[in-house]
Amino acid sequence: MASTIQALPKEVVYLITAGEVIDSFASVVKELVENSLDAGATRIVVSIWPEQWRIRVADNGCGMNLDDLQQAATAHSTSKIRSSADLWKINSLGFRGEALHSLTNLADLEILSRPVGGKLGWRVLYGYGGEVLEVDVTAIAPGTVVTVSNLFGNCSSRRQGLPTTAQQMKAVQATIHQIALCHPGVTWQICQNDRQWFTISRAATTGQLLPQILPQVRQGDLQEVKLEVPNPVNSEDRIQQSTVNSQQSAIHLVVGLPDRCHRHRPDWVRVAINGRMVKSAELEQTILSAFHKTLPRDRYPICFLHLAISPDQINWNRNPAKTEIYLNEITYWQEQIIVGINQALRISDANLKETVHTTRVSKLLKAAEAKGGYNFNPQNSNDDEKIPDSSLSTPNFLKAVAQVSNTYIVAEHPGGMWLVEQHIAHERVLYEQLCDNWQLISVEPPIILYQLSPAQVLQLQRIGLDIEPFGEQLWAVRNLPAMLQQREDCAQAILELSLGGDLQTAQVAVACRSAIRNGTPMNLQEMQTLLDNWQRTRNPRTCPHGRPIYLSLEESALARFFRRNWVIGKSHGI
Ligand code: ADP
Ligand code: MG
């Protein structure tokens, strides 16, 4: 088999951002592991011996034949691109052909490899500059084992500049976690000093993998959404470079439900594009804004965004570590991301079914029901046949059943029942109405306020109120938010608004003041209307202060609690 690794032509080398990317254990691990993923590996074993400055990455990927092995560490040699046009078709994590070459200048490099379908494996030892020093036949399973030893051995100033071993190992772990989240189908085994350090098992989706990395989070705290989206229409200057652009892109979101999990730092707002974690202040900001007024103060969401975009939309070539990217038509992607997050946060029949119908207990329950002719809630029992929920129309599936303590609405749905706190559910409804339509209407006679400070007057003007002096220590307010109009306490409400905050804070305050109080009796019709309006909100899970709105008693949890999976005959001792 001929070599598929080739040196890049000079003009391509000039186009590629030059840069030394190997500066730590973590960067070595990243480069080697990315090569394994590019080789299609599904099992990767990383071993590190920090005191020996040695790192080994073994994979079950496609492997290399002898020709490729001999070429692999020479300058700018890659099997992944050939020409400058290929820079717009990058589907791999690597493409510069620099990593192995750099490693031969910074460390001792040995590679064992056997191509899939090849009879023999080979061991190659490389010298400075990627020169081949030794070649032997070796017994090895298909795949590749790369060993980097004596890292930075010829450059002691680099070693001295590095943080402590513990910190470096933390960075290695973080690097592997990030990569694993982008490639959930891979099984990982990580060893340090010949002992197992941690493992990550493959999962069907990133959401199913995430609890292995963030153990505080459980599967049910997360909602996954996948959206297929067309690529944006190319603007003029892109047309020359673009090739065929009929491909679809996809947005994959793993969203921590705001009533179940959040963080005190924005450390889990993460963005990946085409298999690679990237820094994108713009997209991170978009994510944070989609969670605005759904979380308690100073808390941040958990949200992992993975964009799978056709490569002609991306310029990876901005910086050597490829962590910064230039994305065409960023506002288009931002809009799509908001759509996706809203879809994940909304309460819909489809979202519910995910959590309710995947548990083992509910499967058992279904089996038991089929035999016993037992039926929970006959009107709704055929919910499996319902037309799948579209993101545009949310059917009302919650039925008001009763009110408890003049505070909680008992709501029944096909998967169980919820207790909904009436005040904050209503507050959520009103808040979103106010955000969509902040309507100020004039009042006659004006509302008179006393003893306002200049800051208070300014604040009221900032949120759009028409306010002017009306005499000694008196001010006249000639308009106010429509929602407050009918209220007797509107002077008090305006005073509250004058105490500060931005428009959104004012909207929260108005919603809170106008929402039905706890302790107020409601009839079934009123409760049903509130439930209907509430389940149509964009962020039904939490109120604008971040408090959870409902407590769910899923049918599966009830079944578990009441031991409904017991076989009746057996529990009677028959
Ligand atoms: P790049 O990844 O940018 O192509 P590298 O220097 O990292 O450059 O690797 C050079 C080439 O060596 C790759 O293009 C690939 O063909 C081959 N290679 C490296 N690691 C592996 C591996 N684990 N399995 C198979 N091939 C590999
Ligand atoms: Mg590489």
Side-chain angles (χ1 to χ4, degrees):
M1 216 186 331
S3 169
T4 54
I5 300 181
Q6 292 178 16
L8 287 170
K10 280 234 162 50
E11 70 273 13
V12 183
V13 173
Y14 292 141
L15 280 176
I16 290 175
T17 321
E20 181 65 78
V21 292
I22 310 278
D23 59 2
S24 60
F25 276 108
S27 57
V28 175
V29 168
K30 175 168 178 284
E31 291 297 331
L32 297 185
V33 155
E34 288 190 345
N35 281 346
S36 298
L37 292 167
D38 282 343
T42 56
R43 229 195 121 71
I44 299 177
V45 181
V46 179
S47 311
I48 305 184
W49 297 267
E51 284 79 35
Q52 281 86 48
W53 297 85
R54 187 187 318 142
I55 299 156
R56 173 174 298 153
V57 173
D59 67 56
N60 65 347
C62 65
M64 282 176 272
N65 62 26
L66 182 57
D67 285 343
D68 280 344
L69 270 173
Q70 288 178 314
Q71 181 72 23
T74 52
H76 300 296
S77 291
T78 181
S79 57
K80 299 168 192 175
I81 63 169
R82 291 268 177 268
S83 66
S84 58
D86 293 344
L87 286 172
W88 291 100
K89 297 180 204 154
I90 288 169
N91 277 315
S92 52
L93 297 166
F95 61 87
R96 298 200 179 103
E98 272 186 314
L100 295 181
H101 178 70
S102 307
L103 281 169
T104 62
N105 297 340
L106 298 166
D108 302 331
L109 177 70
E110 177 203 72
I111 305 182
L112 281 61
S113 197
R114 175 174 153 197
V116 172
K119 285 207 184 72
L120 289 178
W122 297 91
R123 181 190 78 100
V124 175
L125 185 69
Y126 302 86
Y128 194 88
E131 178 199 354
V132 173
L133 299 182
E134 291 173 22
V135 176
D136 324 294
V137 172
T138 186
I140 173 185
T144 302
V145 182
V146 180
T147 308
V148 171
S149 318
N150 198 21
L151 178 65
F152 306 135
N154 57 359
C155 169
S156 58
S157 61
R158 289 240 200 166
R159 282 190 182 178
Q160 278 151 16
L162 289 171
T164 63
T165 306
Q167 282 169 316
Q168 291 206 67
M169 292 307 108
K170 228 177 140 183
V172 166
Q173 187 175 36
T175 301
I176 293 172
H177 280 167
Q178 299 218 350
I179 296 173
L181 283 170
C182 298
H183 302 271
V186 175
T187 296
W188 303 78
Q189 190 187 348
I190 319 297
C191 302
Q192 197 184 137
N193 292 326
D194 296 311
R195 287 217 208 100
Q196 184 155 296
W197 175 16
F198 64 97
T199 58
I200 305 170
S201 310
R202 58 171 300 172
T205 65
T206 300
Q208 287 170 29
L209 184 107
L210 196 137
Q212 294 183 60
I213 291 173
L214 195 58
Q216 309 93 295
V217 168
R218 288 173 311 162
Q219 201 67 74
D221 300 341
L222 302 170
Q223 182 71 47
E224 283 190 82
V225 169
K226 246 192 184 136
L227 291 182
E228 300 276 327
V229 290
N231 285 334
V233 183
N234 281 346
S235 50
E236 301 257 352
D237 57 297
R238 296 273 315 110
I239 290 170
Q240 305 132 15
Q241 280 152 339
S242 98
T243 47
V244 242
N245 188 16
S246 54
Q247 287 148 299
Q248 286 261 320
S249 293
I251 293 180
H252 183 188
L253 281 156
V254 181
V255 171
L257 299 173
D259 53 337
R260 308 213 185 158
C261 52
H262 33 74
R263 314 271 303 165
H264 67 273
R265 284 184 296 140
D267 57 346
W268 271 89
V269 174
R270 301 202 179 169
V271 178
I273 296 185
N274 292 6
R276 184 196 309 278
M277 211 60 96
V278 296
K279 284 190 210 98
S280 167
E282 287 149 311
L283 297 184
E284 284 163 25
Q285 204 46 54
T286 304
I287 293 173
L288 288 173
S289 73
F291 283 88
H292 193 65
K293 297 289 179 200
T294 66
L295 295 171
R297 200 200 304 199
D298 299 330
R299 302 292 295 188
Y300 299 89
I302 291 174
C303 183
F304 174 77
L305 162 69
H306 198 163
L307 292 174
I309 298 185
S310 53
D312 63 332
Q313 303 291 312
I314 308 167
N315 182 355
W316 281 117
N317 215 5
R318 276 285 163 114
N319 80 339
K322 306 174 197 126
T323 50
E324 280 165 34
I325 49 128
Y326 179 77
L327 197 59
N328 295 311
E329 316 292 343
I330 185 110
T331 42
Y332 172 81
W333 298 109
Q334 288 173 313
E335 283 161 19
Q336 300 300 321
I337 290 162
I338 298 273
V339 169
I341 294 178
N342 285 345
Q343 190 173 321
L345 294 183
R346 216 175 289 129
I347 291 170
S348 71
D349 204 13
N351 287 359
L352 258 187
K353 267 194 202 159
E354 291 264 320
T355 53
V356 175
H357 294 291
T358 51
T359 63
R360 211 178 128 255
V361 176
S362 72
K363 277 183 203 141
L364 278 174
L365 192 69
K366 273 202 177 150
E369 282 172 8
K371 274 183 249 138
Y374 163 81
N375 225 343
F376 166 76
N377 198 354
Q379 311 94 283
N380 293 325
S381 62
N382 61 345
D383 64 308
D384 278 347
E385 276 123 52
K386 268 195 198 154
I387 321 142
D389 174 35
S390 88
S391 59
L392 295 172
S393 67
T394 311
N396 295 325
F397 56 89
L398 286 177
K399 184 172 141 215
V401 178
Q403 189 189 29
V404 179
S405 307
N406 292 336
T407 299
Y408 306 105
I409 301 170
V410 181
E412 186 187 18
H413 66 79
M417 72 168 116
W418 290 353
L419 287 181
V420 180
E421 209 220 75
Q422 64 193 38
H423 170 69
I424 53 176
H426 195 206
E427 187 180 325
R428 168 52 71 187
V429 172
L430 296 181
Y431 172 67
E432 293 196 5
Q433 282 174 8
L434 287 172
C435 290
D436 294 342
N437 184 14
W438 178 244
Q439 208 189 344
L440 297 167
I441 52 168
S442 30
V443 277
E444 194 50 51
I447 297 158
I448 307 299
L449 298 175
Y450 307 91
Q451 292 188 322
L452 294 180
S453 71
Q456 283 176 297
V457 175
L458 213 74
Q459 167 64 12
L460 291 177
Q461 283 166 343
R462 201 177 313 141
I463 60 173
L465 294 200
D466 178 5
I467 177 167
E468 55 190 34
F470 196 64
E472 186 78 4
Q473 296 281 318
L474 291 180
W475 280 265
V477 177
R478 298 192 186 276
N479 65 353
L480 84 178
M483 213 171 262
L484 295 175
Q485 187 194 16
Q486 302 299 329
R487 302 189 63 91
E488 282 164 13
D489 61 354
C490 50
Q492 251 174 304
I494 293 172
L495 270 181
E496 184 182 59
L497 296 183
S498 74
L499 293 175
D502 53 8
L503 179 60
Q504 271 163 336
T505 314
Q507 288 164 339
V508 173
V510 172
C512 183
R513 188 173 279 271
S514 312
I516 185 164
R517 305 258 144 228
N518 286 334
T520 314
M522 294 177 84
N523 65 32
L524 270 185
Q525 188 49 55
E526 289 166 337
M527 290 191 282
Q528 188 62 51
T529 307
L530 174 53
L531 289 180
D532 291 349
N533 291 336
W534 167 64
Q535 57 180 304
R536 270 186 236 114
T537 58
R538 291 185 287 272
N539 290 301
R541 295 177 175 274
T542 52
C543 80
H545 306 283
R547 288 164 56 203
I549 291 180
Y550 71 98
L551 170 70
S552 89
L553 292 166
E554 309 290 312
E555 177 51 22
S556 53
L558 295 175
R560 206 169 340 160
F561 179 79
F562 290 109
R563 312 283 193 272
R564 287 237 308 275
N565 53 338
W566 286 8
V567 178
I568 301 298
K570 274 200 183 147
S571 58
H572 290 170
I574 302 165

